[in-house]
C-alpha cells in the first residue's frame, strides 16, 4: 500500500536538502544530487565525456563554479553567489576585473516586470558571463561607480555529463518511462519537485510485482536526454509510453500536457485519473516546445509521453526566478500530484483486455454465487452499487477487443474498480485474459 505519511515526510526532507544545490547541465551539482537520490532508488550513474557527439549535438565542457560576486567601490558585496546561486548566469566564464557601470551593465539581467525576483539565465553554448539580480537592486546601483567583478568558474574539456537511470523489471519487457531533469539550480517547482516525485513514485512501484517494467531516467534537460537516447537506443525500443515528470508541486491547478499522439492510451489514462481526482484540472495543448517530450517524441522515437503538472512551467509568475522557492512549493502540494501519479501507475497496470469464455447472452451470476461474494470482497473506495455496475460492464464489455480503459470511459467507473470486477469473473473461470503482448 502507498504510505502517504511516509512519502510526505520524505518529500519534505528531500526538498530542504536538495534545494540549495547549484546544478547545471554538467558538473558536481548533478553528481551530488544523483548520489543523494540513489539512497532511495538504485540509480545507475552514467558519465559521458565532454566533446562526445550525440545525434546532432556535442556534450559540452564540464562547468563548475565555486564563487562569484560583484563588489561596489566601498568593497561591499552587492551580488553574492553564496546567497543565491541564481546570481550568476549558468556556464559563465571566469573573470576578475574592475568595470565601469556601463561596461558591467551589458552583463546584468533583471526582470523589470517582477522587480523582487532574480531571473534564472543560462548560456550553455555561447561563451560569455553575466550576473542576475532583482530589478529593485539594479535600480539602486550607482551609475558613476566602478565595480569589482569576480567569477571563480571552470570549464573542463576533459569533464563529463552525468545522468542516471534505474529499471524495475515487471512480467513484460515493455517499459513505462518516468523521465525527469536535474539541471536547474535552486528552483523548487521547476524542477526539484519533478526529481523528488519521480524518485518517490519509482521507489513505491519497485516494491510491487508489476505487469510492465518501469524505467526511471534523471538527466539534464535536452542535452542529457539526447545523450541518454543516443547511448541507450536498443533499450529505448522497449519503451511503450511514459511521462516527463516536471513542475508538480506549485500552488495552482493540476494539469495535463498530452502526448503528440493526443489520444494514445497514456493520454486517456491520464485524463481518467485526473477526472477521478478533481473537476478543476487544466488540459494544455501539445506544442513542440516544453520539456523532454521534444526528444522522446521526435520522429525517430515517437514515444508517447504525458506530463501531469501542478503549476506547469511557463504558466506561473515565479517560473525561472528566485521566487520559485520553498515558499511556493510544499511537500503537501507535491504529495497531491504524487497521488495522481500513483493512480496513473495503478491504472496502467490494471488496463487489461479480457474476453468472455461463453459470449452468448448474460452469465447467470447468481448460481455461481458471484453477487453474495461481492459483498465480502468490497474493495477500497468502491461501494456495492459501484461493484455491481462494474460487474455488469465487464460482463457486457469484455469481448477480447475492448480494454478496461474504454469501458471506464463509457461507464465513468475507475479502471481499478472494473479491474477488480473482471478479476472476480476471471477467478470464476468466466473470462480469459487477452492482454497478451502489452500495448
Ligand atoms: Zn526550466
Amino acid at each position: 500500500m502507498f504510505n502517504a505519511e511516509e512519502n510526505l515526510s520524505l518529500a519534505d526532507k528531500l526538498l530542504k536538502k536538495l534545494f540549495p544545490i547549484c546544478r547545471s547541465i554538467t558538473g558536481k551539482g548533478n553528481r551530488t544530487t544523483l548520489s543523494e537520490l540513489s539512497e532511495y532508488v538504485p540509480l545507475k550513474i552514467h558519465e559521458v565525456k565532454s566533446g562526445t557527439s550525440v545525434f546532432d549535438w556535442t556534450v559540452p565542457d564540464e562547468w563548475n563554479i565555486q564563487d562569484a560576486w560583484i563588489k561596489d567601490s566601498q568593497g561591499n558585496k552587492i551580488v553574492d553567489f553564496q546567497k543565491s546561486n541564481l546570481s550568476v548566469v549558468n556556464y559563465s566564464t571566469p573573470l576578475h576585473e574592475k568595470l565601469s557601470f556601463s561596461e558591467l551593465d551589458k552583463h546584468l539581467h533583471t526582470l523589470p516586470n517582477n522587480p523582487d525576483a532574480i531571473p534564472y539565465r543560462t548560456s550553455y553554448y555561447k561563451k560569455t558571463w553575466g550576473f542576475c539580480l532583482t530589478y529593485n537592486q539594479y535600480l539602486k546601483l550607482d551609475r558613476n561607480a566602478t565595480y569589482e567583478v569576480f567569477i571563480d568558474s571552470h570549464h573542463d574539456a576533459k569533464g563529463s555529463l552525468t545522468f542516471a537511470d534505474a529499471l524495475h523489471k515487471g512480467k513484460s519487457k515493455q517499459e513505462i518511462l518516468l523521465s525527469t531533469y536535474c539541471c536547474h539550480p535552486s528552483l523548487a517547482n521547476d524542477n526539484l519537485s519533478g526529481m523528488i516525485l519521480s524518485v518517490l513514485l519509482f521507489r513505491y512501484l519497485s516494491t510491487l510485482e508489476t505487469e510492465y517494467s518501469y524505467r526511471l531516467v534523471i538527466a539534464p534537460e535536452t542535452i542529457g536526454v539526447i545523450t541518454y537516447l543516443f547511448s541507450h537506443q536498443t533499450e529505448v525500443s522497449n519503451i511503450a509510453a511514459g511521462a516527463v515528470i516536471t513542475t508538480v508541486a506549485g500552488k495552482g491547478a493540476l494539469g495535463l500536457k498530452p502526448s503528440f499522439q493526443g489520444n494514445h492510451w497514456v493520454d486517456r489514462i491520464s485524463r481518467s485519473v485526473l477526472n477521478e481526482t478533481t473537476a478543476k484540472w487544466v488540459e494544455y495543448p501539445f506544442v513542440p516546445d516544453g520539456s523532454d517530450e521534444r526528444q522522446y517524441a521526435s520522429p525517430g522515437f515517437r514515444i508517447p509521453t504525458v506530463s501531469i503538472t501542478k503549476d506547469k512551467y511557463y504558466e506561473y509568475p515565479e517560473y525561472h526566478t528566485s521566487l520559485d522557492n520553498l515558499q511556493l512549493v510544499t511537500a503537501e502540494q507535491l504529495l497531491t500530484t504524487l497521488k495522481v501519479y500513483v493512480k496513473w501507475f495503478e491504472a496502467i497496470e490494471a488496463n487489461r483486455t479480457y474476453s468472455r469464455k461463453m459470449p452468448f447472452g448474460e452469465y447467470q451470476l447468481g448460481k455461481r454465487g458471484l453477487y453474495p461474494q461481492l459483498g465480502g470482497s468490497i474493495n477500497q473506495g468502491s461501494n456495492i452499487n459501484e461493484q455491481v455496475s462494474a460487474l455488469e460492464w465487464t460482463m457486457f464489455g469484455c469481448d477480447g477487443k475492448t480494454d478496461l480503459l474504454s469501458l471506464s470511459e463509457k461507464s465513468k467507473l475507475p479502471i481499478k474498480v472494473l479491474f477488480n470486477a473482471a478479476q472476480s469473473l476471471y477467478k470464476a473461470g468466466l473470462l480469459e485474459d487477452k492482454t497478451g503482448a502489452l500495448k
Side-chain angles (χ1 to χ4, degrees):
M1 282 288 282
F2 177 75
N3 184 333
E5 232 168 82
E6 186 199 11
N7 279 280
L8 181 67
S9 90
L10 274 180
D12 190 53
K13 184 178 158 188
L14 284 168
L15 280 170
K16 287 172 183 152
K17 194 165 196 186
L18 298 180
F19 182 73
I21 293 171
C22 182
R23 284 166 281 263
S24 174
I25 55 172
T26 57
K28 289 173 192 152
N30 290 348
R31 284 186 205 113
T32 309
T33 303
L34 294 174
S35 99
E36 290 284 348
L37 293 175
S38 64
E39 287 183 24
Y40 302 91
V41 287
L43 290 177
K44 192 171 164 194
I45 310 284
H46 305 264
E47 299 280 352
V48 176
K49 285 199 169 84
S50 299
T52 307
S53 294
V54 288
F55 298 121
D56 202 34
W57 295 62
T58 305
V59 174
D61 292 352
E62 180 175 326
W63 182 74
N64 287 297
I65 180 163
Q66 275 70 44
D67 200 8
W69 43 255
I70 303 173
K71 281 184 186 169
D72 65 15
S73 39
Q74 284 81 49
N76 304 310
K77 279 186 192 170
I78 50 165
V79 174
D80 187 354
F81 172 77
Q82 304 303 340
K83 289 194 179 143
S84 166
N85 58 41
L86 298 179
S87 302
V88 178
V89 172
N90 251 234
Y91 241 62
S92 279
T93 48
L95 180 84
H96 192 184
E97 273 180 50
K98 287 199 171 159
L99 299 173
S100 67
F101 175 79
S102 65
E103 288 169 310
L104 175 63
D105 195 21
K106 294 174 204 149
H107 294 271
L108 297 181
H109 304 269
T110 62
L111 293 169
N113 295 328
N114 199 350
D116 288 316
I118 304 171
Y120 163 50
R121 293 286 179 268
T122 63
S123 179
Y124 291 127
Y125 287 94
K126 188 177 165 237
K127 289 271 162 77
T128 181
W129 62 271
F131 281 90
C132 304
L133 63 166
T134 72
Y135 188 61
N136 284 334
Q137 267 180 300
Y138 174 76
L139 291 178
K140 284 189 208 141
L141 296 182
D142 181 349
R143 270 51 185 167
N144 300 311
T146 301
Y147 293 89
E148 187 179 352
V149 181
F150 177 67
I151 301 175
D152 181 10
S153 65
H154 182 63
H155 288 80
D156 185 359
K158 292 195 173 119
S160 61
L161 176 148
T162 316
F163 67 91
D165 72 342
L167 179 67
H168 167 71
K169 281 192 184 152
K171 288 181 203 154
S172 165
K173 262 185 112 175
Q174 278 207 290
E175 294 176 10
I176 303 297
L177 171 75
L178 308 173
S179 179
T180 191
Y181 50 93
C182 59
C183 48
H184 289 39
S186 295
L187 293 172
N189 198 36
D190 180 23
N191 189 43
L192 179 55
S193 71
M195 276 191 274
I196 296 174
L197 187 144
S198 309
V199 164
L200 295 180
L201 176 63
F202 189 83
R203 177 178 173 268
Y204 166 63
L205 66 85
S206 301
T207 63
L208 306 170
E209 261 188 44
T210 58
E211 296 293 334
Y212 282 97
S213 296
Y214 287 81
R215 171 83 57 182
L216 173 65
V217 175
I218 309 178
E221 203 172 20
T222 310
I223 183 66
V225 165
I226 288 172
T227 306
Y228 162 71
L229 286 166
F230 182 82
S231 55
H232 288 71
Q233 290 177 57
T234 321
E235 290 96 317
V236 167
S237 62
N238 290 327
I239 300 175
V244 171
I245 300 181
T246 165
T247 47
V248 290
K251 291 189 195 307
L254 286 162
L256 171 69
K257 179 175 179 181
S259 73
F260 173 61
Q261 287 83 341
N263 215 21
H264 186 269
W265 59 258
V266 75
D267 298 304
R268 292 160 56 212
I269 281 182
S270 306
R271 291 183 188 112
S272 148
V273 295
L274 280 160
N275 283 331
E276 261 180 58
T277 308
T278 170
K280 290 185 194 152
W281 62 275
V282 193
E283 178 154 343
Y284 303 99
F286 178 88
V287 281
D289 172 17
S291 187
D292 288 318
E293 64 280 6
R294 297 178 352 250
Q295 320 312 331
Y296 291 118
S298 59
F301 297 107
R302 277 291 189 260
I303 298 168
T305 60
V306 295
S307 293
I308 295 171
T309 57
K310 188 159 167 27
D311 273 348
K312 182 181 163 289
Y313 52 85
Y314 305 155
E315 305 288 332
Y316 59 103
E318 300 86 354
Y319 168 73
H320 276 195
T321 77
S322 56
L323 303 181
D324 184 350
N325 57 28
L326 298 182
Q327 268 84 59
L328 180 78
V329 163
T330 65
E332 285 79 8
Q333 287 155 203
L334 194 149
L335 187 73
T336 301
T337 318
L338 176 56
K339 284 179 178 168
V340 180
Y341 267 110
V342 167
K343 278 190 201 169
W344 179 84
F345 151 72
E346 289 172 344
I348 289 173
E349 287 288 303
N351 182 26
R352 305 195 67 76
T353 304
Y354 296 91
S355 120
R356 284 259 301 269
K357 278 201 180 156
M358 194 289 285
F360 305 107
E362 283 187 329
Y363 281 132
Q364 195 189 342
L365 297 179
K367 74 177 182 190
R368 296 182 170 89
L370 277 167
Y371 274 100
Q373 272 181 28
L374 264 172
S377 63
I378 289 180
N379 292 296
Q380 309 92 319
S382 64
N383 57 41
I384 192 85
N385 289 337
E386 196 176 56
Q387 285 186 50
V388 171
S389 175
L391 204 57
E392 288 166 351
W393 274 101
T394 44
M395 181 167 61
F396 188 85
C398 288
D399 52 13
K401 299 183 202 97
T402 309
D403 63 8
L404 295 185
L405 172 61
S406 306
L407 293 180
S408 167
E409 288 167 338
K410 282 184 198 293
S411 66
K412 310 288 177 229
L413 293 166
I415 298 176
K416 233 177 125 180
V417 174
L418 291 166
F419 175 76
N420 290 332
Q423 280 294 299
S424 56
L425 293 173
Y426 178 79
K427 282 175 191 155
L430 303 178
L431 291 183
E432 283 177 285
D433 191 337
K434 293 284 187 187
T435 314
L438 288 160
K439 301 152 291 224

